[in-house]
Amino acid sequence: VSTGASTKRIGLIGLGLMGLPMGMNLRKAGYPLTVWNRTASRAKDLVEAGAILAKSPQEVAETSDVLLTMVSDPPALESVLWGEGGALPALKAGSVYIDSSTISPALVQKIAKACQKGGIRFLDAPVTGGDWGAREGNLVFMIGGDAETLKEVQPILDVMGKRFFHLGPNGAGQTIKLAMNAILALEVGAVAEAIGLVTKAGLQGEQLLEVLQSSMGRSGLLDLKTPLMLKGDFKPSFPLRLMHKDLGLALDLANQLGVALPTTAAVREVYNHVKGEAKEDVDYSAVVRFYKN
Amino acid sequence: VSTGASTKRIGLIGLGLMGLPMGMNLRKAGYPLTVWNRTASRAKDLVEAGAILAKSPQEVAETSDVLLTMVSDPPALESVLWGEGGALPALKAGSVYIDSSTISPALVQKIAKACQKGGIRFLDAPVTGGDWGAREGNLVFMIGGDAETLKEVQPILDVMGKRFFHLGPNGAGQTIKLAMNAILALEVGAVAEAIGLVTKAGLQGEQLLEVLQSSMGRSGLLDLKTPLMLKGDFKPSFPLRLMHKDLGLALDLANQLGVALPTTAAVREVYNHVKGEAKEDVDYSAVVRFYKN
Amino acid sequence: VSTGASTKRIGLIGLGLMGLPMGMNLRKAGYPLTVWNRTASRAKDLVEAGAILAKSPQEVAETSDVLLTMVSDPPALESVLWGEGGALPALKAGSVYIDSSTISPALVQKIAKACQKGGIRFLDAPVTGGDWGAREGNLVFMIGGDAETLKEVQPILDVMGKRFFHLGPNGAGQTIKLAMNAILALEVGAVAEAIGLVTKAGLQGEQLLEVLQSSMGRSGLLDLKTPLMLKGDFKPSFPLRLMHKDLGLALDLANQLGVALPTTAAVREVYNHVKGEAKEDVDYSAVVRFYKN
Amino acid sequence: VSTGASTKRIGLIGLGLMGLPMGMNLRKAGYPLTVWNRTASRAKDLVEAGAILAKSPQEVAETSDVLLTMVSDPPALESVLWGEGGALPALKAGSVYIDSSTISPALVQKIAKACQKGGIRFLDAPVTGGDWGAREGNLVFMIGGDAETLKEVQPILDVMGKRFFHLGPNGAGQTIKLAMNAILALEVGAVAEAIGLVTKAGLQGEQLLEVLQSSMGRSGLLDLKTPLMLKGDFKPSFPLRLMHKDLGLALDLANQLGVALPTTAAVREVYNHVKGEAKEDVDYSAVVRFYKN
């Protein structure tokens, strides 16, 4: 444990599949940590590891030099920032705020503006790598914001991730993240359509997968997801409802910018159809269900 | 050169980007070869290498134990098989006919029926690997048809390919090929949409590519195609008009089977739009042009 | 009954929902009529009305001055024209051939070429108006071909239809017909999506319909189809499988021409999905089933 | 002028293409009227007609028994309700608030909740009929909210509209409005695709229109829009950017409810593409530009 690192007090809001292991890594590195989660019981392991459980996002913000948020969607973030007992008005001038949720670039701008007024330095820093990456501390961070601010918090990010892309001013991190998730959703959607086609034609999806892996079309994602799609094992690693939400954010951005994304729009409705029929939380690879008619 | 191999006389119809190097490999392996191409001048190198140039598909068929066709689309194949001076009626009972073009499973069935009447053994055997794979003799073959027939011609296929998937009865090869090309078209289409989005948002596609290569979304195809898409280098490796045709064949099959492919249908119209505006032959990665408005 | 009209001997191939009442109107007008249908029993009423039942399309063609075909799709037409006992080679020079099936403009060109070789004058003349229009003799004809030929057969067409649009050379009739059916499929598909939306939101489709009829969005088609969609009464007036086929023909044409039709492509896959799940023949308004999840 | 009517003081926020003529009709009927618009100069005619121009939305609210808002989109409405000098906190208990903008049912719920807290009665009451309908006082209102409240303000609505549909509780008006606009957008989009197809095939859109008007596909909307589409006259009657926005709201609702709308999603991206390329404000019928490649 580096003693230098422990001089900054960190606040963490959001202890879901991602936030909880990220917090554990912060504690392992010795950072003083205050946390808050809508469902307080999620904080149990962190409190045992020495974190302080606050009563509100506001209380987290008041006691932190660096605030980190990791929540499920834009409304959840707006609520913890500006709702009753919200964090943002309580942040001190000179503090740093890092958001690792996946949200719209429009909300990034709104946050950036509010931070600027309050003398707070802000980074949008969504991640990829899944819950496994969060536990192992090898997430990939996509970062928008000021380079000097990033340099200052780099030691903190280092305990959670292994690769860091500084992509531009505020909004750049989220924009690249949304673009990447649209690609992932389409890759998995493409394989789902192909499985639907060959299955209906009387062949097995396994045959398609075997050939695909011998071709240029092979990918790490498909190696991971296709066998689960063929088995029908949809335990959520990245929940379909979140992928569906991210596709909506990508399309909102595209529609604001006036760039048409017909293929992304088509696949979003397929995810939506499966979401509408799902009785439980499923992984986004469950998109293959659309084709099993 | 194996002398055993040279006992079978091979006929090859279609000397395009793929057929020509496939023929060269057959000659290098010592097979007696008769060829035909709509534009006879394409046969020059093969004739110098010892192949005989026939006057019609029919003449090729008459002098061959094994006939191989490699043409651009279903109408071209129907023309060389059943048009004036067509090959199919001239094939001898007991001969083997292998088609490596990409065509519809419906046409496969029509050919299979005609072959069965004439006592001809037929394999549908489309390939992947591009012109580079054809030159190096390491194509991947997706094969539908009788296992014994395949065993008999395996030595011949071995000089052109490195991997061989026997996928089922006639039609299975084409079905898997169409499914795979739909996946490739969607992967490239997905990256094109993402490039369009981040570019319009003021970022660079190169940034997206760099992050993507650090993620599960990385793939051999994208490593190869994305840099060319970013440079705007669309020299045809696999022409867009052929990928667009294959998407049409995949959708025809899906629509016969009653399995909806909304994402494939969406991306096909994007390829179509780019095809409609293209002034010259371009690679299918030129689909990115749709997003440069 | 005009005696002048009865001088031309008419042949009619295809006695389905449309062809049968068209034939009855030809008999009522006094025309000598020879007919053929794949299922011969469909000819019963016509034979009682004085028509002669032929043994093959060829026999129909041999005894006719004017041949009319009205079959379900392009393969069915190719079969009656060029299959065993096919009609086209048997048509006499100087005769007129009118096709009222809905087929591709590409097939129109193939037929036109064959007719030209044989000295036969050819009109593509698809219709709209449904089985009710066929019975009442007030179909709308969309016609491609030579104006003088049309003038010559106008008295014959007059007993089947009430409006006649001469739209250009061969192919023009089918092109306008396909464009029109794409519009009808999208209008009904649009209402189906809207019904799906308001129903899921807890409102009734009847409310939407009532408001729609008060607005510029009202249309004859929707007045007719929406109540049936809301009741779930899908007795086929125009079968979904035929509308789905016509959408495929429209998209084939668009993809040959290089004009992208993303909305038509999207709705086709919705029709396809419903077709794939339907257990029986249903009207195309059954597309609304997609949204009842 | 009815004197009874003049007892209620009305506030009107938003003096655009729709709001201005609606205000003029309120004045003609003798209602005391206070107005506000972001661009104050738009109020000129109303002030001449006796309306009072307020300095802020708040001032309008303070002096009104009935508040009416008619602005372009959800952010504009949130701004006039809750921004600096916003109207909603200034509304008196017992007053009535009617919103005739087209917004999301989610925002309707947020407004309803705030109104309930303040003892304000709220109706969502979007309209159809265009600027022409607004001038003539024959708009169609789609209304969600309490029946008694509606009864109370009916005399006021009567001077602006001719048909009134009470569709259910708050949100019902907007839901039906969004569904209806999705239908209109798809009808015009359908004709645009068909015009694109026949034009590329060498025919004239006028021919298609003529045939269409003879068929069940005819509609008031197409009679109005198609000639302008064929002429290329895109003077905004209903601006494309607003139709595009409404399609986004309809899809947001559908994606919250889990009902997939693939055709609406497809046409939205076509509108988006045209919006992205447009240099000026155009009518939504300009969607036809997509097909003129």
Side-chain angles (χ1 to χ4, degrees):
Chain A
V1 174
S2 134
T3 36
S6 64
T7 52
K8 297 227 181 203
R9 294 169 306 161
I10 300 181
L12 172 63
I13 294 173
L15 305 175
L17 273 180
M18 301 296 289
L20 182 55
M22 290 165 82
M24 292 302 286
N25 282 327
L26 288 167
R27 276 306 302 146
K28 272 185 216 154
Y31 284 101
L33 186 68
T34 306
V35 302
W36 184 86
N37 194 61
R38 208 170 33 170
T39 312
S41 59
R42 287 278 305 170
K44 190 169 165 285
D45 289 357
L46 273 169
V47 170
E48 282 175 15
I52 295 166
L53 179 61
K55 292 207 185 68
S56 67
Q58 180 184 342
E59 205 183 296
V60 176
E62 284 165 356
T63 61
S64 301
D65 302 310
V66 174
L67 174 67
L68 178 66
T69 50
M70 187 57 169
V71 298
S72 61
D73 58 23
L77 188 61
E78 295 209 59
S79 169
V80 301
L81 292 183
W82 289 295
E84 223 182 290
L88 211 138
L91 279 170
K92 291 184 294 278
S95 65
V96 175
Y97 169 35
I98 305 167
D99 175 51
S100 288
S101 319
T102 300
I103 60 169
S104 65
L107 181 51
V108 169
Q109 297 312 330
K110 185 177 166 188
I111 296 171
K113 214 168 151 185
C115 285
Q116 200 174 13
K117 273 193 188 172
I120 302 147
R121 291 163 296 156
F122 170 55
L123 300 176
D124 55 300
V127 298
T128 188
D131 54 347
W132 183 86
R135 277 194 303 277
E136 301 299 311
N138 54 20
L139 293 169
V140 175
F141 280 79
M142 288 152 272
I143 302 160
D146 176 55
E148 236 170 294
T149 305
L150 173 55
K151 201 174 159 190
E152 189 178 321
V153 297
Q154 188 68 58
I156 297 169
L157 298 180
D158 282 341
V159 312
M160 298 180 285
K162 66 164 180 192
R163 297 209 56 179
F164 305 91
F165 294 94
H166 184 215
L167 298 160
N170 278 143
Q174 291 293 356
T175 298
I176 295 288
K177 172 71 194 281
L178 294 178
M180 204 177 68
N181 271 12
I183 293 174
L184 300 184
L186 273 166
E187 281 197 22
V188 168
V191 171
E193 299 220 336
I195 289 174
L197 179 62
V198 303
T199 304
K200 196 84 173 194
L203 302 173
Q204 267 90 51
E206 284 78 2
Q207 296 178 293
L208 173 66
L209 176 58
E210 198 188 355
V211 177
L212 198 61
Q213 282 174 328
S214 306
S215 84
M216 283 195 314
R218 69 183 169 282
S219 82
L221 180 67
L222 298 183
D223 280 358
L224 189 72
K225 293 288 184 190
T226 316
L228 299 170
M229 291 163 85
L230 293 171
K231 267 194 286 183
D233 175 357
F234 301 128
K235 196 164 85 63
S237 164
F238 183 46
L240 188 143
R241 71 188 151 77
L242 293 183
M243 182 56 102
H244 175 256
K245 174 211 66 162
D246 291 355
L247 288 168
L249 294 174
L251 284 164
D252 281 352
L253 178 59
N255 278 279
Q256 282 155 27
L257 295 172
V259 53
L261 302 186
T263 320
T264 303
V267 90
R268 180 202 194 192
E269 296 306 312
V270 181
Y271 281 99
N272 187 23
H273 195 274
V274 173
K275 180 173 76 82
E277 294 198 328
K279 304 278 180 275
E280 73 296 320
D281 212 10
V282 290
D283 190 68
Y284 74 101
S285 53
V287 69
V288 75
R289 284 182 178 168
F290 180 79
Y291 307 96
K292 296 288 178 65
N293 65 337
Chain B
V1 172
S2 134
T3 36
S6 63
T7 54
K8 296 223 182 209
R9 294 169 305 163
I10 301 181
L12 172 63
I13 294 173
L15 305 175
L17 272 180
M18 299 296 289
L20 181 57
M22 289 165 83
M24 293 301 286
N25 282 326
L26 287 168
R27 275 306 302 147
K28 273 183 214 155
Y31 285 101
L33 186 67
T34 307
V35 302
W36 184 86
N37 194 60
R38 209 170 31 171
T39 312
S41 60
R42 287 277 306 168
K44 189 168 165 287
D45 289 356
L46 273 169
V47 169
E48 282 175 15
I52 294 165
L53 178 60
K55 293 207 185 67
S56 68
Q58 180 185 340
E59 203 182 299
V60 176
E62 284 165 355
T63 60
S64 301
D65 303 310
V66 174
L67 174 68
L68 178 65
T69 52
M70 188 56 170
V71 298
S72 62
D73 59 22
L77 187 61
E78 294 209 58
S79 168
V80 300
L81 292 183
W82 290 296
E84 223 181 290
L88 211 138
L91 279 169
K92 287 183 298 277
S95 66
V96 175
Y97 168 36
I98 304 166
D99 175 51
S100 288
S101 320
T102 299
I103 61 170
S104 65
L107 181 51
V108 168
Q109 297 313 328
K110 185 178 166 187
I111 296 171
K113 215 169 150 184
C115 284
Q116 201 174 14
K117 271 193 190 173
I120 301 148
R121 290 166 297 157
F122 169 56
L123 301 175
D124 56 299
V127 299
T128 187
D131 54 347
W132 183 86
R135 277 194 303 275
E136 300 299 311
N138 54 19
L139 293 170
V140 175
F141 281 78
M142 289 152 272
I143 302 161
D146 177 56
E148 236 170 294
T149 305
L150 173 57
K151 204 175 156 188
E152 190 179 319
V153 298
Q154 188 67 58
I156 297 169
L157 298 180
D158 281 342
V159 311
M160 298 180 285
K162 67 165 178 189
R163 295 209 59 178
F164 305 90
F165 295 94
H166 184 214
L167 298 161
N170 278 143
Q174 291 293 356
T175 298
I176 294 289
K177 173 70 194 282
L178 294 178
M180 204 177 68
N181 270 14
I183 292 173
L184 300 184
L186 272 165
E187 281 197 23
V188 168
V191 171
E193 299 219 337
I195 289 173
L197 180 62
V198 304
T199 304
K200 195 85 174 192
L203 302 173
Q204 268 91 50
E206 284 77 3
Q207 297 177 292
L208 173 66
L209 176 59
E210 197 187 356
V211 178
L212 198 62
Q213 282 172 329
S214 307
S215 85
M216 283 196 311
R218 69 182 168 280
S219 81
L221 180 66
L222 299 183
D223 281 357
L224 188 73
K225 292 289 183 189
T226 315
L228 299 170
M229 290 162 86
L230 293 170
K231 266 195 286 184
D233 174 357
F234 301 128
K235 196 166 85 64
S237 164
F238 182 46
L240 190 143
R241 72 188 151 76
L242 293 184
M243 182 57 102
H244 175 256
K245 175 210 67 162
D246 291 355
L247 288 168
L249 294 174
L251 284 164
D252 281 352
L253 178 59
N255 277 281
Q256 282 155 27
L257 295 172
V259 54
L261 303 186
T263 320
T264 304
V267 89
R268 180 202 193 192
E269 297 307 311
V270 182
Y271 281 98
N272 187 24
H273 196 275
V274 174
K275 179 173 76 81
E277 293 199 331
K279 303 277 181 274
E280 72 297 318
D281 212 10
V282 290
D283 190 67
Y284 75 100
S285 54
V287 68
V288 76
R289 284 183 179 169
F290 180 79
Y291 307 95
K292 296 288 179 68
N293 63 335
Chain C
V1 172
S2 131
T3 35
S6 64
T7 52
K8 296 226 181 205
R9 293 169 306 161
I10 301 181
L12 171 63
I13 293 174
L15 305 176
L17 272 180
M18 300 296 288
L20 181 55
M22 289 164 83
M24 292 302 285
N25 283 326
L26 288 168
R27 276 306 302 146
K28 272 184 216 156
Y31 284 101
L33 185 68
T34 307
V35 301
W36 183 87
N37 194 60
R38 206 170 34 171
T39 311
S41 60
R42 288 278 304 170
K44 190 168 164 286
D45 289 356
L46 273 169
V47 169
E48 281 175 15
I52 295 167
L53 178 60
K55 293 208 184 67
S56 68
Q58 180 185 340
E59 204 182 298
V60 176
E62 283 165 357
T63 60
S64 301
D65 302 310
V66 174
L67 175 67
L68 178 66
T69 52
M70 188 56 170
V71 297
S72 62
D73 58 23
L77 188 61
E78 295 210 57
S79 168
V80 301
L81 292 183
W82 289 296
E84 224 181 288
L88 210 137
L91 280 169
K92 290 183 294 278
S95 65
V96 175
Y97 169 37
I98 304 166
D99 175 50
S100 288
S101 319
T102 300
I103 61 170
S104 64
L107 181 52
V108 169
Q109 297 312 331
K110 186 177 164 187
I111 295 171
K113 215 169 150 184
C115 284
Q116 201 174 13
K117 271 193 189 174
I120 302 148
R121 289 164 297 156
F122 169 56
L123 301 175
D124 55 300
V127 297
T128 189
D131 53 348
W132 183 85
R135 276 194 304 277
E136 301 298 311
N138 53 21
L139 294 170
V140 175
F141 281 78
M142 289 152 272
I143 302 160
D146 177 55
E148 234 170 298
T149 305
L150 172 56
K151 201 174 158 191
E152 188 179 321
V153 296
Q154 188 68 56
I156 298 169
L157 298 180
D158 281 340
V159 310
M160 298 180 286
K162 67 165 178 190
R163 294 210 58 179
F164 305 90
F165 294 95
H166 184 215
L167 299 160
N170 278 142
Q174 292 293 356
T175 298
I176 294 290
K177 172 71 193 281
L178 293 178
M180 203 177 68
N181 271 12
I183 292 174
L184 300 184
L186 273 165
E187 280 197 23
V188 168
V191 171
E193 299 221 335
I195 289 173
L197 180 62
V198 303
T199 303
K200 196 85 172 196
L203 302 173
Q204 268 90 51
E206 285 78 2
Q207 296 178 293
L208 173 66
L209 176 59
E210 198 187 356
V211 178
L212 198 62
Q213 282 173 328
S214 307
S215 85
M216 281 195 314
R218 68 182 171 282
S219 81
L221 181 66
L222 298 183
D223 280 358
L224 188 73
K225 293 288 184 189
T226 316
L228 299 171
M229 291 163 85
L230 293 171
K231 269 196 284 183
D233 174 357
F234 301 127
K235 197 165 85 63
S237 162
F238 183 45
L240 189 142
R241 69 188 153 75
L242 293 184
M243 182 56 103
H244 175 257
K245 174 211 67 163
D246 291 354
L247 288 168
L249 294 174
L251 284 163
D252 281 352
L253 178 60
N255 278 280
Q256 282 155 28
L257 295 172
V259 53
L261 304 185
T263 319
T264 304
V267 90
R268 181 204 194 189
E269 296 306 311
V270 181
Y271 281 98
N272 188 23
H273 196 274
V274 173
K275 179 173 76 83
E277 293 198 329
K279 304 278 180 278
E280 73 297 320
D281 212 10
V282 290
D283 190 68
Y284 75 100
S285 54
V287 68
V288 75
R289 284 182 178 168
F290 180 80
Y291 307 94
K292 296 287 179 65
N293 63 337
Chain D
V1 173
S2 134
T3 35
S6 63
T7 53
K8 297 225 183 209
R9 294 169 307 163
I10 301 181
L12 171 62
I13 294 173
L15 305 174
L17 272 180
M18 300 296 290
L20 182 56
M22 289 164 84
M24 292 301 285
N25 283 326
L26 288 168
R27 277 304 302 145
K28 273 183 214 155
Y31 284 102
L33 185 68
T34 308
V35 303
W36 184 86
N37 194 61
R38 209 168 33 169
T39 311
S41 59
R42 288 278 304 169
K44 189 168 166 284
D45 289 357
L46 273 168
V47 170
E48 282 174 14
I52 295 165
L53 178 60
K55 293 210 183 63
S56 67
Q58 180 184 340
E59 204 181 299
V60 176
E62 284 165 356
T63 61
S64 301
D65 304 309
V66 174
L67 174 66
L68 178 66
T69 51
M70 187 58 170
V71 298
S72 61
D73 58 23
L77 187 61
E78 295 209 58
S79 168
V80 300
L81 292 183
W82 290 295
E84 226 182 286
L88 210 137
L91 279 170
K92 289 183 295 277
S95 66
V96 175
Y97 169 36
I98 304 166
D99 175 50
S100 288
S101 319
T102 299
I103 62 170
S104 66
L107 182 51
V108 169
Q109 297 312 329
K110 186 178 166 187
I111 295 170
K113 216 169 150 185
C115 284
Q116 201 174 15
K117 273 193 189 173
I120 301 147
R121 290 165 296 157
F122 169 56
L123 301 175
D124 55 299
V127 298
T128 188
D131 54 347
W132 183 86
R135 276 194 304 276
E136 301 299 311
N138 53 21
L139 293 170
V140 176
F141 280 79
M142 289 152 272
I143 302 160
D146 177 56
E148 236 170 295
T149 306
L150 173 55
K151 202 175 156 189
E152 191 179 320
V153 297
Q154 188 68 56
I156 298 169
L157 298 180
D158 281 343
V159 312
M160 297 181 286
K162 67 164 178 190
R163 294 209 59 179
F164 305 90
F165 294 95
H166 184 216
L167 298 159
N170 278 142
Q174 291 294 355
T175 299
I176 295 289
K177 172 70 194 279
L178 294 178
M180 204 177 69
N181 271 12
I183 293 173
L184 301 184
L186 273 165
E187 280 197 23
V188 168
V191 171
E193 298 219 337
I195 289 173
L197 180 63
V198 303
T199 304
K200 196 85 172 193
L203 302 173
Q204 267 91 50
E206 284 78 2
Q207 295 178 294
L208 173 66
L209 176 59
E210 197 188 357
V211 177
L212 199 62
Q213 282 173 328
S214 307
S215 85
M216 283 195 313
R218 70 182 168 281
S219 82
L221 181 66
L222 299 183
D223 280 357
L224 189 72
K225 292 290 184 188
T226 316
L228 299 170
M229 291 162 85
L230 293 171
K231 265 194 287 183
D233 174 357
F234 301 128
K235 197 165 84 63
S237 163
F238 182 46
L240 189 141
R241 73 189 151 75
L242 292 184
M243 181 56 102
H244 175 255
K245 175 211 66 160
D246 290 355
L247 288 169
L249 294 174
L251 283 164
D252 280 353
L253 177 60
N255 277 279
Q256 282 156 26
L257 296 172
V259 53
L261 303 185
T263 319
T264 304
V267 89
R268 180 202 193 191
E269 296 307 310
V270 181
Y271 281 98
N272 188 24
H273 196 274
V274 173
K275 179 174 76 83
E277 294 199 330
K279 304 279 179 274
E280 73 297 320
D281 212 10
V282 290
D283 189 69
Y284 74 101
S285 53
V287 68
V288 75
R289 284 183 180 168
F290 180 79
Y291 307 96
K292 296 287 178 67
N293 63 336

